[in-house]
Amino acid sequence: MGAPGLLAQEYIPAQNAKGKWGYVDEQGNVVIKYDYAEVSAFVDGRAKVKKGDKWGYIDTSGKEVIKIQYSEMGTWENGRCKVAVGGSMKDNVLKDAKYGFIDATGAVLLKPEYNEIGAFKDGLAYVKKGDKYGYIDNNLSTVVECKYTAIGKFNDLGYCWVSTGGKMQGGELKNGVYGICTRDGRIAVKPNYAMIGTFVYDVPEANPVYAQIANSPEAKERMKALAKDATKGLTSKSFAMAFTGGSAEELNDEVMARQKQATEAFENELRQNLTEDQLMLMSECPSYNMLGYKFIEPKLFSELDMSRSTLIAVSRKQFRSANAGSWTIQAKGMDMIGIVDVATDRPLVKWSKYNVAFIPSEGLAAVVKTDKKGYKVNYVNADDKLLLKEWVYAVGVSPFIDGKAVIQGTKGQYIIDRNGNVLSQSYDLIMPAADGKHVVKTGSGFGIITTDGSQVVAPSYEVILPLSDGYYCARRTDKDPYGYLGADGRFAIEPMYAHASSFRHGAARVKSDTGWGIINTANAPIVKLTWDDVKPFTEENPELCWAKTGSKWSCIKVANGTAAFEPTFYDADNFVDGRAVVYDEVGLAGCIDTNGKLVVPMRMSSKDIVTNCLQDMTARGATEISDIDAYRFNINSNPTRNKYRLSHVISNEMWDY
């Protein structure tokens, strides 16, 4: 065995004929005898070694400086190392060990009593003791006790969900009882709830035109029919499970998948069957800023998305609609939802009273109850008092804005104030206010009123679109051309267009006898009115825009109308940050740069997947991907791909050839 003073030269790991490891010097002389199952190189005069199935550290004299007693030892960070005791290796993975931390001298900093210790992130690491989870901080002090069946990860605001009770099955918590804690271990919301969610979802019903169409008697009947079709075969399938040993969880997952599929089919069918006028009106009508709740994923270390509100939705009962996917009033009719302020753990809306609750606006939360006739709305204040004496059957809800809200009743719509007083007469439709005025509709046509209900333009126009950039796009009858009303209700741009849309970013898409183009607010052409179609501007003074000839879209320069580059596409979105999503003849999507170069080949089945691909490319520092990589990314982005079982037949488009 060599003396410490001789380590001016390197000690080199070496193995003898019997497979044992030791160390030799540069001349090949044995300086530490062959006595170990594994060894590592010396660093700062110490080396990690394994004897039998245990690890420790020796110095250059071969003396143990950290006792060889650990089943596993991690890397050194900040002068400490995670270690494991006990357990056994199965398939090269240590099982059933207990973990803790030691310092460089081998002194125990955190007793090895945890089944798991996660990596530190932002000063915290999760720990598991037995089957319960908690958190420790950088000082190895407990900040969240190990008493939770499952736990999330902390978000940017310092909140994390925790759950008592229930059981982990297949990576998902079943029948948990949820609450919320802070980074310092304080319980912000006591674990009292079967479900919790955050307000991050823009509610489609907040568009009054969509709400009216989607909740018409015909649409409701169609939704019922689709839902009924979606459940066909489930009864016999449930019966068969008793004999085949199938899982009830699998059946429940199938119910959820079918329910979501029926809802998506309803929404797609609804939009496909809209008339041109309905589509225009729905796209031009602003949506209220209504946030609906989305329940958390009951999976370990999922995160509370509180990016848009620190209020949370709670329920003490679990319902199928909790995972129904697309947010619809009809799908949530079984829920009993409340709202809790995380900062105070105080209920703003009691959970046991209402089927749906929306985020409060100006101190009043819109709430919904359902029955066989449909759903009815009201507003509740912080003292749990209802604003309206009688609930109103409705097709939609609106928030309070500047002390007023629109009741979207099934028998008419009208404006109320914060005291519940009715301010306007009843209309068939009242669109959200802009510059203190609403566009309204009755059987006789469209008009304009103030938020106090005073009439600016009598409801006599065939169409008036909501105020945008100071103008109302309008026409008197279906035989008249379109023009633009000013704020006073008089034509500021005389009726002269066969078709028109609202001004956005100082520009409007219009059609004359010579074709489509774009004008400014002075009624001067920005893009000549000679095209089969044009895309409206989505930013101020763009350099490029899309114009259509026949079935193809070309990118043109706004300044002179000439082609910006050669490739043409079957559809395209406007450029954002120098990139535009484009589509081929079957609707597959890709992405180009401002030179027309494909940076993402048109292999993606949706715009969302293109967006995810671009984010992935940015994270990897890539500027473009190949055709086969785009194909693979699209396949891997399909959420159904990893749900196939051995008994399933997998379609060709799901294989990564």
Side-chain angles (χ1 to χ4, degrees), residues 86 171 182 204 273 297 333-334 370 404 445 469 506 528 537-538 553 560:
T182 62
N273 292 331
E297 284 191 275
M334 295 169 58
T370 62
K404 301 177 181 70
D469 282 6
K528 289 183 179 181
F537 289 176
T538 52
W553 288 89
N560 56 24

Side-chain angles (χ1 to χ4, degrees), residues 490-522:
R490 298 177 181 177
F491 277 109
I493 297 177
E494 290 299 319
M496 59 188 300
Y497 296 109
H499 209 313
S501 59
S502 296
F503 277 97
R504 296 282 191 275
H505 308 289
R509 172 178 168 269
V510 297
K511 182 182 181 182
S512 70
D513 294 338
T514 56
W516 285 94
I518 294 176
I519 61 170
N520 62 20
T521 54

Side-chain angles (χ1 to χ4, degrees), residues 280 462-463 473-475 480-484 494-500:
M280 179 180 69
E462 192 267 336
V463 66
C473 181
R475 69 175 176 180
D480 290 322
Y482 283 88
Y484 291 88
E494 290 299 319
M496 59 188 300
Y497 296 109
H499 209 313

Side-chain angles (χ1 to χ4, degrees), residues 434-435 437-439 447-449 456-457 461 464-476 482-495 503 521:
D435 198 25
K437 299 182 183 71
H438 297 271
V439 171
I448 302 171
I449 64 172
V456 178
V457 175
Y461 281 69
I464 300 178
L465 300 180
L467 185 72
S468 180
D469 282 6
Y471 294 90
Y472 299 90
C473 181
R475 69 175 176 180
R476 291 189 182 276
Y482 283 88
Y484 291 88
L485 302 174
D488 59 359
R490 298 177 181 177
F491 277 109
I493 297 177
E494 290 299 319
F503 277 97
T521 54

Side-chain angles (χ1 to χ4, degrees), residues 252-261 319-320 323-324:
N252 189 54
D253 288 344
E254 185 168 345
V255 171
M256 298 300 173
R258 290 192 187 192
Q259 193 177 57
K260 180 178 181 181
Q261 187 176 8
F319 300 95
R320 284 185 175 182
N323 293 315

Side-chain angles (χ1 to χ4, degrees), residues 95-164:
K95 303 282 189 180
D96 303 322
K98 296 294 178 70
Y99 293 86
F101 278 91
I102 61 172
D103 68 13
T105 69
V108 174
L109 301 176
L110 183 67
K111 184 179 178 181
E113 58 182 2
Y114 297 97
N115 296 75
E116 294 178 26
I117 301 178
F120 280 90
K121 184 178 180 181
D122 298 327
L124 296 176
Y126 84 84
V127 288
K128 183 181 181 184
K129 186 181 289 188
D131 60 353
K132 301 292 191 248
Y133 289 86
Y135 272 94
I136 58 174
D137 63 16
N138 262 331
N139 297 320
L140 306 181
S141 300
T142 298
V143 290
V144 178
E145 292 183 37
C146 286
K147 61 180 182 180
Y148 298 106
T149 311
I151 200 164
K153 67 178 180 180
F154 287 93
N155 61 23
D156 292 340
L157 298 178
Y159 292 104
C160 169
W161 65 264
V162 294
S163 182
T164 59

